[in-house]
Amino acid sequence: MARPGRGTRLPTLESIRLSVVIPAYNEEQRLGGTLQRVQDYLEHRRDPFEILVVDDGSVDRTTDVVEKFPDPPVQILCLPENRGNGAALNAGVLASRGEWVLLCDADLSTPIEDLEILEKRTDEASVVLGSRSVAESRVTQHQPIYREMMGKTFNGILRLLALVEERDTQCGFKLVRGDLARELFGELSIERFAYDVELVCLARDRGERIVEQGVRWQDSPNSR
């Protein structure tokens, strides 16, 4: 179970339009820049928001970096040990209060500004997946070829088995309606790799509309 960090607060009556959930494992070197960019962008939009960082058992100063930011809007949750991306996102989503929840990587492989692209699809879907594999996507720096081929093969197998219809379930930039996100993550059982697949399957089993939207993406060689 995640233990509350410095920034965990009881819900207020304030309406939160967007919750941004960022899993972080040993991210002290770049997390400060990521949080500043996300906070500046969301403040410019003027809609109420919160940023929840989940420290996934880091052994560096990740938590210290987060605690330099004001609360609100930046909050920190801490897992006592490293459990994986799915577990970290689970803790953050279940603590969120937003009408919509954005899942976002700590390295900003997809820039936060592409949130606007996903939001354009929310009238037609409750789950909008950022994608590197549809027509509108733009990959500016590719992964090493072996990792890229592994990802494409993985998604190809999933589609062949009719587990998912989407071409890219692994991109870390996803926008989900808030109440639905909290319900889905409450049922999620996969804590590490492929939590995304379970998330999509759970949403589809509920009859929710899911769409893929191309985004910008660049590989981060030091991604954790």
Side-chain angles (χ1 to χ4, degrees), residues 5-199:
R6 170 273 302 167
T8 302
R9 297 169 285 116
L10 293 176
T12 69
L13 296 178
E14 179 186 18
S15 175
I16 299 296
R17 171 62 179 169
L18 178 72
S19 298
V20 180
V21 180
I22 302 175
Y25 175 64
N26 291 345
E27 291 286 0
E28 69 169 299
Q29 295 299 319
R30 58 185 168 193
L31 187 56
T34 291
L35 289 176
Q36 192 64 63
R37 181 172 173 180
V38 172
Q39 180 178 318
D40 289 348
Y41 169 76
L42 294 177
E43 285 180 344
H44 181 73
R45 287 159 51 104
R46 299 185 181 278
D47 289 327
F49 69 92
E50 61 181 2
I51 302 170
L52 298 99
V53 179
V54 184
D55 184 341
D56 186 18
S58 298
V59 296
D60 66 357
R61 297 179 60 256
T62 291
T63 293
D64 294 340
V65 171
V66 180
E67 290 182 340
K68 293 179 180 179
F69 285 81
D71 169 29
V74 180
Q75 303 174 52
I76 177 74
L77 293 169
C78 300
L79 299 183
E81 60 184 14
N82 179 256
R83 291 173 52 194
N85 207 36
L89 287 170
N90 188 302
V93 170
L94 292 182
S96 71
R97 296 176 289 144
E99 297 173 25
W100 288 86
V101 174
L102 177 70
L103 312 181
C104 179
D105 289 334
D107 59 12
L108 284 183
S109 292
T110 295
I112 186 61
E113 293 81 6
D114 278 17
L115 168 63
E116 298 175 18
I117 300 175
L118 301 191
E119 287 178 323
K120 292 178 180 178
R121 307 293 301 275
T122 56
D123 285 343
E124 60 183 290
S126 54
V127 180
V128 186
L129 306 178
S131 177
R132 299 161 291 185
S133 301
V134 296
E136 304 91 344
S137 61
R138 183 156 59 93
V139 177
T140 57
Q141 181 174 338
H142 287 263
Q143 295 175 302
I145 187 64
Y146 74 92
R147 290 191 62 184
E148 191 163 313
M149 291 306 299
M150 286 172 61
K152 290 181 177 179
T153 300
F154 177 70
N155 274 281
I157 292 173
L158 293 175
R159 294 171 65 200
L160 183 64
L161 296 175
L163 294 177
V164 299
E165 300 173 0
E166 292 71 26
R167 297 180 60 87
D168 181 13
T169 58
Q170 305 305 111
C171 179
F173 203 69
K174 298 175 173 66
L175 186 63
V176 187
R177 196 181 71 237
D179 59 340
L180 176 64
R182 289 179 280 273
E183 289 179 8
L184 296 179
F185 274 90
E187 297 179 13
L188 207 66
S189 62
I190 297 177
E191 294 193 336
R192 294 186 180 273
F193 177 76
Y195 87 89
D196 322 64
V197 179
E198 185 180 12
L199 183 70

